[in-house]
Amino acid sequence: MSELNVFLRINIIEAKNLAAKDRNGFSDPFVAISISDSTYQTHVVNKNLNPKWDAIFDHKIDLTKPPNEIHLTCWDKDTFGKDYLGEIYISLDKLWESNGHIAYDDELNLPQWHLLTTNRKNEDVSGQVLVKVGLRDKDNKSLDAREWNSIWRKMNSLSINEVQSSSTEGTSSVSSTKSTIRHERSQSLSSLSDIVGVIFLEIVCAVDLPPERNVTGLGFDMDPFVVVSFAKNTFRTKVINHSLNPQWNEKLHFPIKKQEINFQIKFSVYDWDKFSQNDHIASLLYDVKPLIDRGIDVMNKSQDYENMNEGLLEEVLPLKVHSKLASKHDSKLVIKTKFMPYDYLRRQFCLGSTLSQETIDSFFTRFGKEPKRHALQFEEVISCLEQYLGDASFSHHSANPDGEEADNEHLIYLQSCPICNRPNLDQLSETNIITHVAMCASSDWGNIDKFVTGDFVTESQAQRKWVSKIITKVGFGGYKIGGNNANIIVQDRKSGQLVEEKMAAYVRLGIRLLYRGGLSKMDSTSAKKLLESMSIKQGKKFNHPSSVADIKPFVKFHNLDLDEVADSLDSFKNFNEFFYRKLKPEARPCDSPQDPYVLVSPADCRMMAFPTITNATELWIKGQSFSIARLLDDDLAAKDYEGGSLGIFRLAPQDYHRFHFPVEGELGPIKDIPGAYFTVNPMAIRSQLDVYGENKRAICYINSPQFGKVAYISIGAMMVGSIVFTSTPSSYVRRTDEHGYFAFGGSTVILLFQKGKMIWDEDLLANSGSCLETLVRMGMHVGKALRY
């Protein structure tokens, strides 16, 4: 992959309503383009006031001195000279602030009309020119929108980090305000465009469920209900008593984001028991991608979109039965599904607004039109409204009850739904208002009261009864995404499911008691010695041949996939050998193997990603004495990472415990730092204890051509007997090459990147921003180097 070779592409497409300069009532127009010290010129179109050029010019950019303006001058070509038709000044900063799309090849970077103006007296100037402008790089076609925004900020000495901290660094208030608004707008626009549509789902019935033995053990019965989970949405139907063919007919809906289109919906059927634990009867996984493709295809084929209202498609899906009676029953789940693209939802209705006349006029001038003379096309209106819908500088609530404008402008004001009369609609975001009203407007979804709703976080929580919930609250802590609880909730990046991390009950309770209420005890010298002694003893125990007996119970408890393991269970001489087992090469492939600018996960882990180290300490790492200098045990080395990015890769006991290289480059020597054996459980990290700065760890640096100097910190934890390295210092390493392994217990890898060298994937940043760990596999794409 080559380095950046950025150029600015300008496409002068056409003009209309130009002034006539010749006696024949026409002109012979052409356009001259001036950028920095370079000039370009279109061909001449003879005798035409509405010329079409479609002329493309590529201007090479000096990354240290990027252009900030394009000057266009329209001329009428004459035999012995030229007549002036007007000029246009295009500010690149304002242009890309308004449309949010910098790359020329971005589908959302649309051509824009620009009015011809003049400061010359007595000049007849009229008309406008259609122009498309954007950045390109012929050799790096995989650059995405976030990378182009980062490159442009870097070229103009405006980074996200600088924007966020501008108010504290003493920069001018004017430039700080403008920069912050631009950053907020691009972020909110990105968030809005993440929504691709809404899935509507009806749980109709189940067929031929297997009977389960009742609580008396003398007969069989079934009281089934269904738990539905998708990404961060979890729902539960009502219980149908005494039925092997239950009818629910319950509906639910949830929005789909871009990063969720390859996720699966999980359906789990449970048998409700009054006194004992609910039994898990059957389950199935449903891919949403075909459903989304089907919905988009229907919309594209229907010009008037009427087919979207024809209802839901019924599907009969085979259930995977978790019962000894599975072979005797052909169990199925019947559902109805429909996907409505957001592009369709937004067209179904118009909502009132309190936008000022000045703002509405700006909709016209954005496309080179005059408010009182021209009309906007439908797509132009939609584009303008979506811009303001995602603009953080505008209110997300309705106007006052009299419909008058409040202090701020409002795109949408609805205090109640005009269809279902739901009150307090003004408390929702505009996007949610659109989704709500669009659902009500759909003829077969008029009765919103039938929707299944749930205040559940995970499937496990949704199926529990009140007694077990009380016990869970006391022993494990509350259920909350990003909550500081002993129960650990993570999102599986591959399936999108929210899952609870499995651990023994005594471990969970012990962690909660120690780190929630016993911090002073944990910080004592005696506690450190106790944990060190326990870890060493446990390591010796699992190295003993008798520990082989612990392998199969461990596999069963954590439901490990043995098909991925390179060696058979019989080949392991003790538990520790199994714990740091090798996997088959095809089990963990390297993402984008030919592109070294792609950052991959160094391990199977629960991951947190932060754009700045300050961001990490504000949200996640709460240790009072934590610092990069303390983590690296080196004040001088820490200066290299000021303002840089940080990634935390936490390995739980059930994870594959070999760790690998996330980047390629020259590997330096390894520095061992002795320390404590505190757990790396999130509750400990979010306590006042500096776990990362206290624990045993080993540090090395990778000099990467793409990512700069990367700090790789391997951290031991409670019950980790040792950190073993299998790599060779002073060698050139490749992505996913093995670096080493951890012995039994939890452990962590931390990566540090220098400022401006890389960006994390958006979904990882979003989860980390809400303190939700993401379950990733070794070799998975987690970020990119900035090619600048």
Side-chain angles (χ1 to χ4, degrees):
M1 181 65 66
S2 62
E3 297 298 324
L4 278 184
N5 184 20
V6 180
F7 59 90
L8 180 69
R9 171 162 287 186
I10 307 103
N11 185 4
I12 309 299
I13 302 172
E14 62 178 312
K16 59 184 179 181
N17 303 323
L18 298 180
K21 294 293 184 176
D22 297 338
R23 293 180 179 179
N24 57 16
F26 292 99
S27 292
D28 305 308
F30 68 94
V31 176
I33 303 104
S34 176
I35 311 171
S36 301
D37 297 327
S38 301
T39 58
Y40 309 89
Q41 182 177 307
T42 70
H43 60 278
V44 177
V45 178
N46 294 321
K47 298 180 180 180
N48 203 319
L49 300 182
N50 299 286
K52 296 184 184 295
W53 295 286
D54 199 19
I56 294 178
F57 306 94
D58 290 337
H59 174 74
K60 183 69 172 70
I61 290 182
D62 180 352
L63 299 181
T64 63
K65 298 178 181 179
N68 54 27
E69 187 176 67
I70 302 173
H71 181 204
L72 308 178
T73 307
C74 193
W75 300 96
D76 166 41
K77 176 68 175 177
D78 287 335
T79 305
F80 300 105
K82 56 186 180 182
D83 293 322
Y84 176 80
L85 292 175
E87 55 194 314
I88 298 167
Y89 291 90
I90 301 177
S91 167
L92 294 178
D93 196 45
K94 291 182 179 179
L95 174 70
W96 289 330
E97 175 186 320
S98 66
N99 68 19
H101 302 283
I102 294 176
Y104 185 87
D105 297 319
D106 189 333
E107 294 180 355
L108 298 178
N109 184 3
L110 303 175
Q112 296 193 25
W113 287 99
H114 298 270
L115 283 171
L116 287 162
T117 60
T118 184
N119 290 323
R120 303 184 184 186
K121 294 182 178 180
N122 302 319
E123 285 285 359
D124 181 19
V125 171
S126 67
Q128 47 198 311
V129 181
L130 183 63
V131 182
K132 180 176 179 179
V133 180
L135 297 179
R136 293 193 90 227
D137 190 316
K138 293 179 180 177
D139 301 321
N140 296 313
K141 296 181 180 180
S142 62
L143 293 172
D144 58 27
R146 290 176 64 243
E147 288 180 288
W148 276 119
N149 275 278
S150 297
I151 291 168
W152 181 249
R153 282 193 298 267
K154 183 77 173 179
M155 286 161 51
N156 290 275
S157 301
L158 177 63
S159 68
I160 292 179
N161 303 339
E162 291 166 345
V163 170
Q164 291 175 332
S165 59
S166 59
S167 60
T168 62
E169 292 178 355
T171 56
S172 69
S173 59
V174 175
S175 62
S176 173
T177 301
K178 289 183 178 179
S179 300
T180 303
I181 290 174
R182 176 167 62 247
H183 172 64
E184 289 179 343
R185 175 171 293 179
S186 64
Q187 290 293 92
S188 55
L189 278 172
S190 173
S191 175
L192 178 67
S193 63
D194 278 347
I195 301 173
V196 297
V198 176
I199 282 182
F200 298 87
L201 178 64
E202 182 174 348
I203 312 299
V204 181
C205 66
V207 179
D208 195 23
L209 294 178
E212 287 291 308
R213 191 176 294 275
N214 61 25
V215 70
T216 65
L218 301 176
F220 294 88
D221 195 9
M222 175 69 73
D223 303 307
F225 65 94
V226 180
V227 175
V228 183
S229 53
F230 177 82
K232 298 175 185 178
N233 305 286
T234 302
F235 309 89
R236 169 179 166 169
T237 69
K238 61 189 175 185
V239 176
I240 304 296
N241 293 322
H242 316 302
S243 177
L244 300 179
N245 298 282
Q247 292 274 343
W248 291 288
N249 297 317
E250 295 191 20
K251 299 177 181 180
L252 59 96
H253 68 280
F254 39 81
I256 302 293
K257 299 179 180 179
K258 284 183 179 178
Q259 62 266 29
E260 297 172 347
I261 61 176
N262 291 314
F263 284 3
Q264 296 174 312
I265 303 174
K266 184 178 182 182
F267 299 92
S268 296
V269 181
Y270 285 88
D271 173 32
W272 181 83
D273 289 314
K274 187 173 184 180
F275 300 105
S276 62
Q277 182 72 22
N278 294 328
D279 298 314
H280 189 195
I281 303 301
S283 62
L284 70 89
L285 294 174
Y286 180 88
D287 293 322
V288 301
K289 184 64 165 58
L291 173 61
I292 294 173
D293 292 341
R294 187 175 71 222
I296 294 174
D297 184 59
V298 170
M299 188 191 76
N300 290 337
K301 290 180 179 178
S302 178
Q303 296 299 320
D304 56 5
Y305 307 105
E306 287 299 323
N307 290 340
M308 293 300 296
N309 290 323
E310 289 183 356
L312 292 82
L313 178 66
E314 183 171 287
E315 300 182 64
V316 181
L317 307 173
L319 286 165
K320 180 182 179 181
V321 179
H322 311 292
S323 169
K324 296 179 181 179
L325 301 174
S327 60
K328 299 181 179 180
H329 293 268
D330 186 18
S331 302
K332 292 182 172 62
L333 182 69
V334 181
I335 63 172
K336 292 182 179 179
T337 57
K338 178 169 66 176
F339 174 76
M340 280 190 176
Y342 192 81
D343 190 50
Y344 167 76
L345 290 175
R346 71 182 187 181
R347 287 166 165 79
Q348 299 313 295
F349 55 90
C350 295
L351 301 178
S353 69
T354 63
L355 297 181
S356 66
Q357 188 60 46
E358 180 183 0
T359 298
I360 294 173
D361 289 347
S362 72
F363 292 174
F364 289 82
T365 57
R366 173 182 171 183
F367 294 99
K369 298 183 178 181
E370 297 181 23
K372 295 183 179 180
R373 293 180 54 194
H374 302 120
L376 289 174
Q377 297 179 5
F378 184 76
E379 285 301 325
E380 293 173 339
V381 174
I382 290 298
S383 178
C384 292
L385 292 179
E386 286 189 339
Q387 172 194 337
Y388 283 89
L389 185 62
D391 195 329
S393 64
F394 288 83
S395 172
H396 282 270
H397 300 285
S398 74
N400 59 44
D402 298 326
E404 299 176 356
E405 291 185 13
D407 295 334
N408 295 323
E409 296 180 273
H410 308 272
L411 176 60
I412 297 173
Y413 65 94
L414 281 179
Q415 295 213 326
S416 62
C417 176
I419 300 173
C420 73
N421 297 316
R422 169 181 168 174
N424 302 320
L425 207 62
D426 57 334
Q427 300 303 311
L428 301 178
S429 69
E430 282 96 336
T431 303
N432 287 337
I433 293 175
I434 289 176
T435 302
H436 176 92
V437 178
M439 289 188 303
C440 290
S442 181
S443 59
D444 55 341
W445 287 89
N447 190 351
I448 294 183
D449 294 335
K450 286 186 178 180
F451 289 151
V452 180
T453 58
D455 190 20
F456 305 115
V457 177
T458 66
E459 174 191 340
S460 178
Q461 182 203 13
Q463 63 89 17
R464 289 192 177 122
K465 298 182 291 298
W466 68 271
V467 175
S468 61
K469 286 179 182 177
I470 291 176
I471 297 173
T472 298
K473 181 69 176 179
V474 174
F476 301 164
Y479 271 86
K480 182 181 179 183
I481 294 177
N484 192 13
N485 305 306
N487 59 334
I488 304 173
I489 299 168
V490 301
Q491 184 174 32
D492 188 327
R493 196 185 194 194
K494 188 176 181 180
S495 68
Q497 299 292 318
L498 290 179
V499 295
E500 293 177 51
E501 189 170 309
K502 292 198 70 174
M503 66 178 75
Y506 71 89
V507 175
R508 192 191 305 256
L509 182 57
I511 289 172
R512 185 168 190 239
L513 294 176
L514 286 171
Y515 289 94
R516 193 73 176 238
L519 177 59
S520 59
K521 297 179 183 178
M522 288 300 299
D523 204 22
S524 67
T525 302
S526 58
K528 294 178 183 178
K529 289 182 177 179
L530 174 62
L531 287 174
E532 180 178 359
S533 174
M534 288 173 57
S535 296
I536 293 173
K537 287 180 180 179
Q538 193 66 35
K540 290 180 179 179
K541 174 185 175 183
F542 283 144
N543 280 329
H544 194 273
S546 62
S547 63
V548 170
D550 294 312
I551 296 177
K552 288 185 178 179
F554 183 84
V555 170
K556 183 177 180 181
F557 181 75
H558 292 293
N559 193 28
L560 300 182
D561 184 2
L562 295 181
D563 290 338
E564 296 180 337
V565 182
D567 303 310
S568 65
L569 287 186
D570 297 336
S571 67
F572 299 110
K573 298 177 181 178
N574 54 55
F575 180 84
N576 240 340
E577 282 192 4
F578 170 75
F579 186 77
Y580 49 75
R581 61 199 175 275
K582 290 187 176 182
L583 300 183
K584 297 174 182 176
E586 62 272 17
R588 297 293 184 272
C590 178
D591 196 301
S592 305
Q594 304 304 319
D595 187 357
Y597 285 84
V598 171
L599 176 72
V600 299
S601 173
D604 283 16
C605 59
R606 290 91 170 101
M607 181 187 171
M608 299 289 283
F610 300 100
T612 67
I613 293 165
T614 300
N615 190 236
T617 56
E618 290 174 349
L619 292 171
W620 192 248
I621 307 172
K622 300 299 184 182
Q624 289 180 331
S625 56
F626 173 82
S627 69
I628 297 302
R630 182 176 168 88
L631 173 68
L632 298 177
D633 195 34
D634 189 328
D635 292 341
L636 184 61
K639 293 182 180 179
D640 290 336
Y641 301 98
E642 291 179 355
S645 304
L646 177 146
I648 302 172
F649 305 81
R650 179 179 65 86
L651 287 73
Q654 57 267 42
D655 290 326
Y656 162 64
H657 258 64
R658 290 180 180 260
F659 48 93
H660 300 249
F661 290 108
V663 301
E664 70 170 47
E666 187 72 28
L667 176 64
I670 297 172
K671 174 184 176 181
D672 284 308
I673 302 175
Y677 290 83
F678 294 124
T679 177
V680 288
N681 179 285
M683 182 167 281
I685 303 305
R686 299 170 74 179
S687 73
Q688 297 304 306
L689 186 66
D690 182 13
V691 174
Y692 298 141
E694 290 272 358
N695 272 23
K696 169 183 172 62
R697 57 201 183 278
I699 301 167
C700 65
Y701 298 92
I702 307 167
N703 289 310
S704 169
Q706 297 80 24
F707 291 87
K709 185 180 179 182
V710 181
Y712 193 122
I713 304 100
S714 309
I715 302 177
M718 188 169 66
M719 300 302 174
V720 174
S722 58
I723 305 172
V724 180
F725 292 96
T726 57
S727 59
T728 304
S730 301
S731 63
Y732 197 87
V733 298
R734 305 286 180 181
R735 291 177 305 144
T736 70
D737 285 353
E738 187 178 296
H739 188 25
Y741 61 82
F742 295 105
F744 178 74
S747 39
T748 290
V749 169
I750 291 180
L751 298 179
L752 298 178
F753 297 89
Q754 295 167 306
K755 182 179 179 180
K757 290 294 184 181
M758 60 83 65
I759 52 174
W760 298 106
D761 288 350
E762 289 187 62
D763 62 318
L764 300 174
L765 289 174
N767 280 353
S768 300
S770 58
C771 294
L772 174 65
E773 292 178 298
T774 306
L775 180 62
V776 301
R777 278 75 170 173
M778 194 282 292
M780 187 177 284
H781 188 306
V782 295
K784 280 188 176 183
L786 290 175
R787 297 176 175 90
Y788 173 70

